[in-house]
Amino acid sequence: MTRGAFLALALLGIACETRELSRWKMAGPSSDPELEQQIFRALDAASEAGTYPPISKFQVRTATVVEERVVVGGNTEYHVPEAIHGESALVNHVISLVGPEVTREKVRFIAYYAESCGDSLSCGDCRDYQIETLDVENLLAVCGDASTGLVHVRRFRDALVPEESFPEVSASDVPLSKEDLDRLVAEATRAREGGIDLFTSRDHHAGASALSYAGAVYRAAGVDDAAFHYRYPIGGLLQQAATEKDYFLEAIVVVGEKGAWPRVSYRDRQYGHEFSSFNVKRGRPPIRLVLTDGEGRFRLTTFEESLPHAFSAASFLPGRVEEFLADKQ
Ligand SMILES: [Zn+2]
C-alpha cells in the first residue's frame, strides 16, 4: 500500500469514527460540549439497554453518565400490568454504584433512547422517585430520537407543580354546591382518621373523597405496609368507583393535617389523570382537584394542570379506551 493510500484509508477510518460519534445531533443550541458528548455516549448505551415489556411491548431504554461511568436502565413488566420503570431502574442502578449523595449531586440528565420522541415526561411515580433521589431543579430529560438522530433536551422541573402553586380560591369559587363541598370535606376528613400510617409521616398521611356524576361519594385514606407497597388515597377511591362501574367523577377533595395543606403525590395525580381523561373523552370537564387545609381555605386545580406532560391510557390506547367507555354512563 502506498503512503498516500494508507493515509486515505486512515482518514476514512477517522471519518467513519466521527460519523459514528455524530450519529446524534442536538436539536437545539448547546453550549456545553462536554455534556453533549456525555449525552451522546449515554444515548448509544441506552440504545443497547435490555428491557422486558411482555405486556405493553413498549421499551423504555435509559442511561446517564456519572463520574465518567455510563449507567443504563430499562423497563421490565410482570404479572398484571405492573412494571419496574426505565428511569427508576436507572437511578436505582446509579445509587447502587456510587451511593445516594453522589447520585443527587452528579446525575445531570436522564437520556431516553426512543423510536420517536413525544411530549410526555415521566409517569407520576417516577416523578416522585426522581424528586427524592436527584437534583430535580437542574436535571435534564433528554430524548434521542432514533428515527431522526435529533436529541431533544428539556428541563425535568417542567414536569413539576408544587401544591403551593395550585391557585388558592374561596369556597364559593369551587364549582360545587356548598352542600356538596361541605360533604366532601367532611368525608375526606373522616377518611383521614382511618387508613394505616405505621411508616408514613403525619404530613404525608391524607384522606380523599370524590363525588361522581351519578351522585355517589367515595372516600379513602392512605395505607402503608411492611413491604412498602403503599396504597394511595386517590388511587383507593378511584378503585372503589371503578368497582361500581362509576367512571366519571366531578371532583376530588384531599385533606391532610388540620391547618396544613395536604401533599398530593405525583403517583396519585397519575391515577387521577387517567380517570380525568375518561371525562375529557366524553366531553365533560376534567375532574376538579380540591385541596383544603381543613380550616376553610381551598386550592383548586385539575390533574391535567398538576401533572403536565403526562400520558394516560386514553393517549396510549385511544381506540381501546373508546371501546371500554362505549357502554359506560
Ligand atoms: Zn414511570
Side-chain angles (χ1 to χ4, degrees), residues 85-88 122-127 311:
H85 291 200
E87 50 273 64
S88 41
S122 298
C123 79
D125 190 47
C126 287
R127 295 184 200 199
F311 62 89

Side-chain angles (χ1 to χ4, degrees), residues 3 33 37-38 51 55 87 91 114 117 133 151-152 156 161 164 201 218 232 240 276 300 305 310 325:
R3 189 178 157 77
Q37 284 311 310
Q38 287 187 350
T51 63
I55 305 170
E87 50 273 64
V91 176
C117 296
T133 54
V151 178
H152 304 270
F156 178 76
V161 183
E164 292 70 27
S201 64
Y218 303 94
Y232 289 79
Q240 293 167 33
S276 190
L300 172 66
E305 291 288 331
L325 291 177

Side-chain angles (χ1 to χ4, degrees), residues 8-167:
L9 277 176
L11 282 172
L12 186 65
I14 290 168
C16 287
E17 198 181 322
T18 308
R19 227 183 353 259
E20 183 65 29
L21 285 174
S22 62
R23 165 189 182 185
W24 301 107
K25 185 170 177 296
M26 302 305 277
S30 141
S31 55
D32 188 337
E34 193 190 330
L35 179 64
E36 201 175 296
Q37 284 311 310
Q38 287 187 350
I39 287 172
F40 294 170
R41 276 177 72 202
L43 284 171
D44 284 337
S47 72
E48 308 270 309
T51 63
Y52 179 58
I55 305 170
S56 73
K57 321 284 184 220
F58 187 80
Q59 301 192 80
V60 183
R61 295 184 278 192
T62 58
T64 191
V65 175
V66 62
E67 295 190 323
E68 289 307 308
R69 265 196 276 200
V70 181
V71 185
V72 298
N75 61 325
T76 63
E77 297 172 350
Y78 56 103
H79 194 46
V80 291
E82 270 284 347
I84 306 294
H85 291 200
E87 50 273 64
S88 41
L90 167 68
V91 176
N92 188 55
H93 192 177
V94 174
I95 291 174
S96 60
L97 287 169
V98 299
E101 291 83 13
V102 174
T103 301
R104 187 172 292 105
E105 195 186 326
K106 299 276 176 68
V107 171
R108 297 175 71 189
F109 66 89
I110 293 182
Y112 299 80
Y113 174 87
E115 293 308 321
S116 70
C117 296
D119 170 69
S120 65
L121 288 165
S122 298
C123 79
D125 190 47
C126 287
R127 295 184 200 199
D128 288 327
Y129 185 64
Q130 288 169 85
I131 291 167
E132 190 66 32
T133 54
L134 302 176
D135 174 11
V136 288
E137 280 306 307
N138 296 301
L139 182 70
L140 302 175
V142 176
C143 183
D145 191 313
S147 60
T148 62
L150 289 176
V151 178
H152 304 270
V153 178
R154 293 189 291 170
R155 296 209 163 268
F156 178 76
R157 68 171 181 235
D158 293 346
L160 305 179
V161 183
E163 291 84 349
E164 292 70 27
S165 66
F166 297 175

Side-chain angles (χ1 to χ4, degrees), residues 230 260 281:
Y230 192 71
K281 263 223 173 276

Side-chain angles (χ1 to χ4, degrees), residues 193-214:
E193 289 165 9
I196 300 178
D197 57 353
L198 300 172
F199 299 90
T200 312
S201 64
R202 291 178 62 83
D203 59 328
H204 278 96
H205 187 56
S209 63
L211 175 67
S212 75
Y213 281 99

